[in-house]
mmCIF file of all heavy atoms in Angstrom:
data_model
loop_
_atom_site.group_PDB
_atom_site.id
_atom_site.type_symbol
_atom_site.label_atom_id
_atom_site.label_comp_id
_atom_site.label_asym_id
_atom_site.label_seq_id
_atom_site.Cartn_x
_atom_site.Cartn_y
_atom_site.Cartn_z
ATOM 1 N N VAL B 31 -57.178 -13.914 -44.402
ATOM 2 C CA VAL B 31 -56.847 -13.731 -42.988
ATOM 3 C C VAL B 31 -56.537 -15.082 -42.352
ATOM 4 O O VAL B 31 -55.528 -15.245 -41.647
ATOM 5 C CB VAL B 31 -58.007 -13.049 -42.236
ATOM 6 C CG1 VAL B 31 -57.722 -13.039 -40.726
ATOM 7 C CG2 VAL B 31 -58.219 -11.633 -42.740
ATOM 8 N N GLU B 32 -57.393 -16.064 -42.616
ATOM 9 C CA GLU B 32 -57.200 -17.403 -42.063
ATOM 10 C C GLU B 32 -55.922 -18.032 -42.604
ATOM 11 O O GLU B 32 -55.148 -18.649 -41.858
ATOM 12 C CB GLU B 32 -58.411 -18.278 -42.411
ATOM 13 C CG GLU B 32 -58.271 -19.745 -42.008
ATOM 14 C CD GLU B 32 -58.242 -19.938 -40.500
ATOM 15 O OE1 GLU B 32 -58.706 -19.036 -39.763
ATOM 16 O OE2 GLU B 32 -57.757 -20.996 -40.054
ATOM 17 N N ILE B 33 -55.702 -17.879 -43.888
ATOM 18 C CA ILE B 33 -54.508 -18.466 -44.499
ATOM 19 C C ILE B 33 -53.252 -17.818 -43.934
ATOM 20 O O ILE B 33 -52.284 -18.503 -43.587
ATOM 21 C CB ILE B 33 -54.557 -18.315 -46.032
ATOM 22 C CG1 ILE B 33 -55.719 -19.144 -46.600
ATOM 23 C CG2 ILE B 33 -53.234 -18.765 -46.670
ATOM 24 C CD1 ILE B 33 -56.028 -18.884 -48.051
ATOM 25 N N ALA B 34 -53.260 -16.503 -43.811
ATOM 26 C CA ALA B 34 -52.102 -15.796 -43.267
ATOM 27 C C ALA B 34 -51.819 -16.233 -41.836
ATOM 28 O O ALA B 34 -50.665 -16.420 -41.440
ATOM 29 C CB ALA B 34 -52.337 -14.286 -43.318
ATOM 30 N N ALA B 35 -52.880 -16.421 -41.058
ATOM 31 C CA ALA B 35 -52.714 -16.836 -39.662
ATOM 32 C C ALA B 35 -52.064 -18.212 -39.580
ATOM 33 O O ALA B 35 -51.183 -18.446 -38.751
ATOM 34 C CB ALA B 35 -54.070 -16.847 -38.969
ATOM 35 N N ARG B 36 -52.465 -19.108 -40.459
ATOM 36 C CA ARG B 36 -51.910 -20.465 -40.424
ATOM 37 C C ARG B 36 -50.482 -20.497 -40.977
ATOM 38 O O ARG B 36 -49.668 -21.309 -40.531
ATOM 39 C CB ARG B 36 -52.796 -21.419 -41.212
ATOM 40 C CG ARG B 36 -54.174 -21.616 -40.634
ATOM 41 C CD ARG B 36 -54.803 -22.883 -41.160
ATOM 42 N NE ARG B 36 -56.222 -22.947 -40.875
ATOM 43 C CZ ARG B 36 -56.992 -24.001 -41.153
ATOM 44 N NH1 ARG B 36 -56.447 -25.081 -41.730
ATOM 45 N NH2 ARG B 36 -58.286 -23.985 -40.882
ATOM 46 N N VAL B 37 -50.210 -19.618 -41.913
ATOM 47 C CA VAL B 37 -48.847 -19.545 -42.450
ATOM 48 C C VAL B 37 -47.907 -18.977 -41.399
ATOM 49 O O VAL B 37 -46.724 -19.317 -41.329
ATOM 50 C CB VAL B 37 -48.814 -18.671 -43.730
ATOM 51 C CG1 VAL B 37 -47.377 -18.382 -44.150
ATOM 52 C CG2 VAL B 37 -49.552 -19.372 -44.865
ATOM 53 N N GLY B 38 -48.466 -18.087 -40.554
ATOM 54 C CA GLY B 38 -47.649 -17.474 -39.517
ATOM 55 C C GLY B 38 -47.069 -16.140 -39.928
ATOM 56 O O GLY B 38 -46.003 -15.742 -39.457
ATOM 57 N N GLY B 39 -47.779 -15.469 -40.802
ATOM 58 C CA GLY B 39 -47.320 -14.160 -41.254
ATOM 59 C C GLY B 39 -48.490 -13.190 -41.337
ATOM 60 O O GLY B 39 -49.577 -13.466 -40.835
ATOM 61 N N SER B 40 -48.254 -12.063 -41.972
ATOM 62 C CA SER B 40 -49.298 -11.053 -42.105
ATOM 63 C C SER B 40 -49.982 -11.158 -43.459
ATOM 64 O O SER B 40 -49.469 -11.792 -44.386
ATOM 65 C CB SER B 40 -48.687 -9.656 -41.960
ATOM 66 O OG SER B 40 -47.805 -9.403 -43.053
ATOM 67 N N ARG B 41 -51.135 -10.498 -43.567
ATOM 68 C CA ARG B 41 -51.817 -10.452 -44.860
ATOM 69 C C ARG B 41 -50.961 -9.734 -45.892
ATOM 70 O O ARG B 41 -50.997 -10.065 -47.078
ATOM 71 C CB ARG B 41 -53.171 -9.757 -44.716
ATOM 72 C CG ARG B 41 -54.276 -10.667 -44.205
ATOM 73 C CD ARG B 41 -55.608 -9.979 -44.240
ATOM 74 N NE ARG B 41 -55.661 -8.848 -43.321
ATOM 75 C CZ ARG B 41 -56.639 -7.949 -43.275
ATOM 76 N NH1 ARG B 41 -57.640 -8.038 -44.120
ATOM 77 N NH2 ARG B 41 -56.610 -6.967 -42.393
ATOM 78 N N ALA B 42 -50.199 -8.758 -45.429
ATOM 79 C CA ALA B 42 -49.338 -8.005 -46.359
ATOM 80 C C ALA B 42 -48.325 -8.942 -47.018
ATOM 81 O O ALA B 42 -48.057 -8.850 -48.220
ATOM 82 C CB ALA B 42 -48.615 -6.892 -45.609
ATOM 83 N N THR B 43 -47.781 -9.862 -46.218
ATOM 84 C CA THR B 43 -46.830 -10.836 -46.771
ATOM 85 C C THR B 43 -47.524 -11.728 -47.789
ATOM 86 O O THR B 43 -46.988 -12.011 -48.869
ATOM 87 C CB THR B 43 -46.244 -11.717 -45.658
ATOM 88 O OG1 THR B 43 -45.533 -10.887 -44.729
ATOM 89 C CG2 THR B 43 -45.304 -12.758 -46.231
ATOM 90 N N LEU B 44 -48.729 -12.158 -47.443
ATOM 91 C CA LEU B 44 -49.501 -13.032 -48.328
ATOM 92 C C LEU B 44 -49.785 -12.335 -49.655
ATOM 93 O O LEU B 44 -49.580 -12.910 -50.730
ATOM 94 C CB LEU B 44 -50.816 -13.404 -47.630
ATOM 95 C CG LEU B 44 -51.506 -14.687 -48.090
ATOM 96 C CD1 LEU B 44 -50.600 -15.884 -47.922
ATOM 97 C CD2 LEU B 44 -52.796 -14.877 -47.271
ATOM 98 N N TYR B 45 -50.220 -11.087 -49.569
ATOM 99 C CA TYR B 45 -50.534 -10.331 -50.791
ATOM 100 C C TYR B 45 -49.268 -9.971 -51.574
ATOM 101 O O TYR B 45 -49.342 -9.639 -52.757
ATOM 102 C CB TYR B 45 -51.323 -9.067 -50.457
ATOM 103 C CG TYR B 45 -52.797 -9.337 -50.187
ATOM 104 C CD1 TYR B 45 -53.332 -9.175 -48.915
ATOM 105 C CD2 TYR B 45 -53.630 -9.772 -51.214
ATOM 106 C CE1 TYR B 45 -54.676 -9.430 -48.655
ATOM 107 C CE2 TYR B 45 -54.971 -10.027 -50.973
ATOM 108 C CZ TYR B 45 -55.499 -9.855 -49.691
ATOM 109 O OH TYR B 45 -56.831 -10.112 -49.450
ATOM 110 N N GLY B 46 -48.131 -10.065 -50.914
ATOM 111 C CA GLY B 46 -46.881 -9.831 -51.630
ATOM 112 C C GLY B 46 -46.583 -10.953 -52.611
ATOM 113 O O GLY B 46 -45.867 -10.764 -53.600
ATOM 114 N N TYR B 47 -47.148 -12.133 -52.329
ATOM 115 C CA TYR B 47 -46.957 -13.296 -53.202
ATOM 116 C C TYR B 47 -48.148 -13.506 -54.139
ATOM 117 O O TYR B 47 -47.975 -13.940 -55.285
ATOM 118 C CB TYR B 47 -46.755 -14.554 -52.368
ATOM 119 C CG TYR B 47 -45.392 -14.670 -51.745
ATOM 120 C CD1 TYR B 47 -45.100 -14.069 -50.521
ATOM 121 C CD2 TYR B 47 -44.365 -15.367 -52.389
ATOM 122 C CE1 TYR B 47 -43.842 -14.166 -49.945
ATOM 123 C CE2 TYR B 47 -43.100 -15.471 -51.823
ATOM 124 C CZ TYR B 47 -42.836 -14.869 -50.605
ATOM 125 O OH TYR B 47 -41.586 -14.965 -50.047
ATOM 126 N N PHE B 48 -49.339 -13.238 -53.642
ATOM 127 C CA PHE B 48 -50.553 -13.465 -54.428
ATOM 128 C C PHE B 48 -51.459 -12.241 -54.312
ATOM 129 O O PHE B 48 -51.824 -11.835 -53.219
ATOM 130 C CB PHE B 48 -51.289 -14.711 -53.938
ATOM 131 C CG PHE B 48 -50.454 -15.957 -54.051
ATOM 132 C CD1 PHE B 48 -49.754 -16.443 -52.956
ATOM 133 C CD2 PHE B 48 -50.354 -16.637 -55.263
ATOM 134 C CE1 PHE B 48 -48.971 -17.579 -53.056
ATOM 135 C CE2 PHE B 48 -49.567 -17.777 -55.373
ATOM 136 C CZ PHE B 48 -48.870 -18.252 -54.274
ATOM 137 N N ALA B 49 -51.845 -11.696 -55.454
ATOM 138 C CA ALA B 49 -52.606 -10.444 -55.472
ATOM 139 C C ALA B 49 -54.035 -10.596 -54.980
ATOM 140 O O ALA B 49 -54.675 -9.614 -54.597
ATOM 141 C CB ALA B 49 -52.610 -9.869 -56.894
ATOM 142 N N SER B 50 -54.556 -11.820 -54.984
ATOM 143 C CA SER B 50 -55.946 -12.029 -54.570
ATOM 144 C C SER B 50 -56.155 -13.467 -54.124
ATOM 145 O O SER B 50 -55.312 -14.346 -54.362
ATOM 146 C CB SER B 50 -56.896 -11.723 -55.743
ATOM 147 O OG SER B 50 -56.680 -12.659 -56.801
ATOM 148 N N LYS B 51 -57.281 -13.696 -53.477
ATOM 149 C CA LYS B 51 -57.622 -15.058 -53.076
ATOM 150 C C LYS B 51 -57.816 -15.932 -54.313
ATOM 151 O O LYS B 51 -57.461 -17.120 -54.314
ATOM 152 C CB LYS B 51 -58.898 -15.060 -52.222
ATOM 153 C CG LYS B 51 -59.250 -16.445 -51.695
ATOM 154 C CD LYS B 51 -60.378 -16.409 -50.668
ATOM 155 C CE LYS B 51 -61.727 -16.172 -51.311
ATOM 156 N NZ LYS B 51 -62.852 -16.423 -50.370
ATOM 157 N N GLU B 52 -58.366 -15.338 -55.378
ATOM 158 C CA GLU B 52 -58.569 -16.080 -56.622
ATOM 159 C C GLU B 52 -57.241 -16.571 -57.186
ATOM 160 O O GLU B 52 -57.110 -17.729 -57.616
ATOM 161 C CB GLU B 52 -59.285 -15.204 -57.656
ATOM 162 C CG GLU B 52 -60.746 -14.931 -57.373
ATOM 163 C CD GLU B 52 -60.968 -13.835 -56.334
ATOM 164 O OE1 GLU B 52 -59.973 -13.181 -55.938
ATOM 165 O OE2 GLU B 52 -62.113 -13.642 -55.917
ATOM 166 N N GLU B 53 -56.260 -15.689 -57.174
ATOM 167 C CA GLU B 53 -54.940 -16.054 -57.705
ATOM 168 C C GLU B 53 -54.303 -17.165 -56.869
ATOM 169 O O GLU B 53 -53.686 -18.095 -57.415
ATOM 170 C CB GLU B 53 -54.038 -14.827 -57.723
ATOM 171 C CG GLU B 53 -52.689 -15.066 -58.380
ATOM 172 C CD GLU B 53 -51.839 -13.815 -58.441
ATOM 173 O OE1 GLU B 53 -52.368 -12.753 -58.852
ATOM 174 O OE2 GLU B 53 -50.645 -13.882 -58.066
ATOM 175 N N LEU B 54 -54.461 -17.090 -55.574
ATOM 176 C CA LEU B 54 -53.916 -18.119 -54.693
ATOM 177 C C LEU B 54 -54.644 -19.441 -54.894
ATOM 178 O O LEU B 54 -54.021 -20.515 -54.915
ATOM 179 C CB LEU B 54 -54.032 -17.671 -53.232
ATOM 180 C CG LEU B 54 -53.541 -18.647 -52.156
ATOM 181 C CD1 LEU B 54 -52.121 -19.129 -52.447
ATOM 182 C CD2 LEU B 54 -53.621 -17.988 -50.780
ATOM 183 N N PHE B 55 -55.952 -19.398 -55.064
ATOM 184 C CA PHE B 55 -56.747 -20.594 -55.294
ATOM 185 C C PHE B 55 -56.283 -21.316 -56.557
ATOM 186 O O PHE B 55 -56.110 -22.540 -56.575
ATOM 187 C CB PHE B 55 -58.215 -20.198 -55.424
ATOM 188 C CG PHE B 55 -59.166 -21.357 -55.618
ATOM 189 C CD1 PHE B 55 -59.327 -22.319 -54.638
ATOM 190 C CD2 PHE B 55 -59.904 -21.467 -56.792
ATOM 191 C CE1 PHE B 55 -60.212 -23.377 -54.813
ATOM 192 C CE2 PHE B 55 -60.784 -22.519 -56.980
ATOM 193 C CZ PHE B 55 -60.941 -23.478 -55.988
ATOM 194 N N VAL B 56 -56.057 -20.547 -57.607
ATOM 195 C CA VAL B 56 -55.586 -21.129 -58.866
ATOM 196 C C VAL B 56 -54.190 -21.714 -58.697
ATOM 197 O O VAL B 56 -53.881 -22.781 -59.233
ATOM 198 C CB VAL B 56 -55.609 -20.074 -59.997
ATOM 199 C CG1 VAL B 56 -54.897 -20.595 -61.246
ATOM 200 C CG2 VAL B 56 -57.046 -19.696 -60.341
#
Side-chain angles (χ1 to χ4, degrees):
V31 172
E32 174 67 20
I33 294 169
R36 295 199 193 185
V37 170
S40 66
R41 278 187 295 170
T43 299
L44 203 58
Y45 281 112
Y47 284 86
F48 300 97
S50 65
K51 184 171 75 168
E52 288 79 8
E53 186 177 313
L54 178 52
F55 182 64
V56 170

